[in-house]
Amino acid sequence: MVLANLGRAEQRRLHGGTVGTRRRLRCTTCGLFRDEFPSSSVFGAPIDPYFRLPLWLRADCCAHVLWAYNRQHLDLLEAYVAAWLRERGTGPGAPMSMVERLPAWLKSAKHRPEVLRTIQRMRTSLTNDQSTTAIRRPSS
């Protein structure tokens, strides 16, 4: 399943006065389509932050789970792990960038070869139309 590009964000006031932004879940294989206005999101886990479904791009690696939201996220992880010299950004918010918050096991040089092999395996599981957030289809 893939989160589709929604274009202009639609917002709706939810119970308790919070504002939710519409998110659309669309499966390019079976045509399943679901719109939701989640009141909260969960980031930093191998699940979709809005629908809370398991991500397609996840694999066991170095006794941990390596995961990515989409091809661009996978590219960024690969570039960071493969780099021999990792320089910090200098712009606003640079000390708290996504790569600064990666777990130590992923940044460790001793895990570099295994992490890069796992990223390659994950990349081969993508098809050309899975360029946005990939979600593992729930088993029936």
Side-chain angles (χ1 to χ4, degrees), residues 39-82:
S39 59
S40 64
S41 53
V42 177
F43 288 95
I47 60 171
D48 174 77
Y50 303 105
F51 293 94
R52 293 175 178 77
L53 296 172
L55 295 177
W56 179 263
L57 293 173
R58 60 191 259 172
D60 291 331
C61 179
C62 306
H64 298 277
V65 177
L66 178 62
W67 56 271
Y69 289 122
N70 53 36
R71 185 182 316 266
Q72 291 79 15
H73 190 194
L74 205 56
D75 292 343
L76 183 103
L77 290 172
E78 183 178 41
Y80 182 80
V81 171

Side-chain angles (χ1 to χ4, degrees), residues 101-116:
R101 291 177 284 194
L102 289 173
W105 70 268
L106 186 63
K107 297 192 263 185
S108 171
K110 73 179 180 178
H111 292 141
R112 180 178 288 132
E114 181 61 26
V115 171
L116 292 174

